[in-house]
């Protein structure tokens, strides 16, 4: 985080301002997919992936090799490089103007809660929004001894299982975003 800020300090003109929006863990412990619904997206993904181990579809090694490289900073971690006037970030001229967190409601969940409708159709719309960024993680966790077709079939099965869970209880599943909105200025 400090290195990112130091690089931005080189680019930002004196007197300039920037706003950085990042995924985070907020003061209430909420984070992407773990916000206002009964189910946590990452916990459900982990549980369903583990179920594939239990039924023999994937190995324990493949389960362990499936790792999301995500880290969501807390507000305290965002503020840390700005606290000490002698820190490299402060010496580079950057000052924290403000930081706040907000939850961006999942539009799929909001539509379901507002309109209801066909739960299976809702799940079919919702799952692709999780799959766009996670599909490659599941594929890459699978052994290279498997063919591309076999890997794709396993991941299709996994997302089919997730889709069935969402269809069974749409109100319990969402992918709400939790962001920090960070306003930084560069001293003159």
């Amino acid at each position: 985080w400090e290195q990112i800020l130091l690089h931005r300090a080189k680019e930002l003109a004196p007197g300039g301002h920037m706003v950085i929006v990042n995924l985070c863990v907020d003061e209430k412990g909420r984070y992407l997919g773990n916000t206002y619904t009964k189910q946590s997206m990452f916990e459900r993904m982990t549980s369903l992936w583990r179920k594939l181990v239990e039924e023999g579809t994937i190995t324990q090694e493949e389960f362990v090799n499936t790792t999301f490289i995500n880290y969501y900073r807390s507000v305290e971690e965002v503020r840390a490089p700005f606290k000490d006037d002698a820190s490299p970030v402060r010496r580079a001229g950057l000052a924290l103007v403000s930081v706040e967190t907000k939850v961006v409601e999942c539009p799929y969940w909001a539509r379901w809660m507002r309109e209801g409708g066909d739960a299976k159709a809702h799940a079919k719309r919702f799952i692709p929004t999780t799959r766009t960024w996670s599909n490659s993680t599941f594929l890459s966790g699978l052994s290279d001894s498997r063919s591309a077709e076999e890997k794709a079939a396993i991941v299709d099965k996994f997302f089919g299982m997730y889709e069935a869970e969402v269809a069974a209880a749409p109100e319990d599943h969402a992918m709400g975003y939790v962001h920090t909105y960070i306003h930084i200025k560069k001293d003159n």
Side-chain angles (χ1 to χ4, degrees), residues 4 21 25 32 37 59 62 66 71 74 76 79 88 96 106 111-112 119 129 138 158-159 166 186:
I4 292 169
V21 180
V25 175
L32 175 67
T37 57
T59 66
E62 289 172 314
T66 306
Y71 183 80
S74 67
E76 191 58 35
R79 287 187 175 126
L96 182 63
C106 174
R111 178 180 174 190
W112 173 261
T129 198
F138 290 105
F158 164 77
F159 280 107
V166 173
K186 187 167 183 180

Side-chain angles (χ1 to χ4, degrees), residues 13-188:
H17 290 253
M18 68 177 161
V19 174
I20 299 173
V21 180
N22 270 334
L23 292 169
C24 71
V25 175
D26 74 6
E27 301 84 349
K28 296 179 182 177
R30 298 176 297 187
Y31 54 88
L32 175 67
N34 184 43
T35 49
Y36 40 78
T37 57
K38 184 177 178 180
Q39 300 294 338
S40 163
M41 177 186 64
F42 286 115
E43 288 173 13
R44 292 314 314 138
M45 287 179 167
T46 300
S47 177
L48 292 169
W49 200 238
R50 183 174 306 286
K51 191 177 229 181
L52 292 178
V53 173
E54 292 165 2
E55 67 183 35
T57 302
I58 68 172
T59 66
Q60 178 64 27
E61 182 180 8
E62 289 172 314
F63 176 86
V64 170
N65 288 341
T66 306
T67 304
F68 285 93
I69 310 299
N70 296 348
Y71 183 80
Y72 306 135
R73 283 183 202 89
S74 67
V75 171
E76 191 58 35
E77 289 171 306
V78 168
R79 287 187 175 126
F82 300 96
K83 285 188 169 185
D84 181 357
D85 284 340
S87 75
V89 168
R90 292 293 294 130
R91 285 195 321 265
L94 295 184
L96 182 63
V97 176
S98 65
V99 61
E100 63 180 306
T101 62
K102 292 184 182 180
V103 175
V104 177
E105 187 175 73
C106 174
Y108 299 93
W109 178 83
R111 178 180 174 190
W112 173 261
M113 296 306 288
R114 189 176 56 250
E115 299 173 11
D118 181 338
K120 287 183 181 180
H122 164 75
K124 198 168 273 316
R125 285 189 302 270
F126 173 74
I127 290 300
T129 198
T130 66
R131 192 168 185 169
T132 57
W133 55 268
S134 65
N135 193 74
S136 61
T137 299
F138 290 105
L139 286 171
S140 68
L142 297 172
S143 171
D144 289 337
S145 67
R146 296 183 186 272
S147 69
E149 294 78 15
E150 184 181 13
K151 288 180 179 185
I154 290 168
V155 175
D156 285 346
K157 178 179 180 176
F158 164 77
F159 280 107
M161 293 163 60
Y162 194 13
E163 187 175 308
E165 281 199 3
V166 173
E171 67 282 359
D172 292 344
H173 298 270
M175 194 174 79
Y177 287 76
V178 185
H179 290 123
T180 48
Y181 296 82
I182 310 157
H183 178 190
I184 299 168
K185 69 176 182 176
K186 187 167 183 180
D187 298 331
N188 291 326

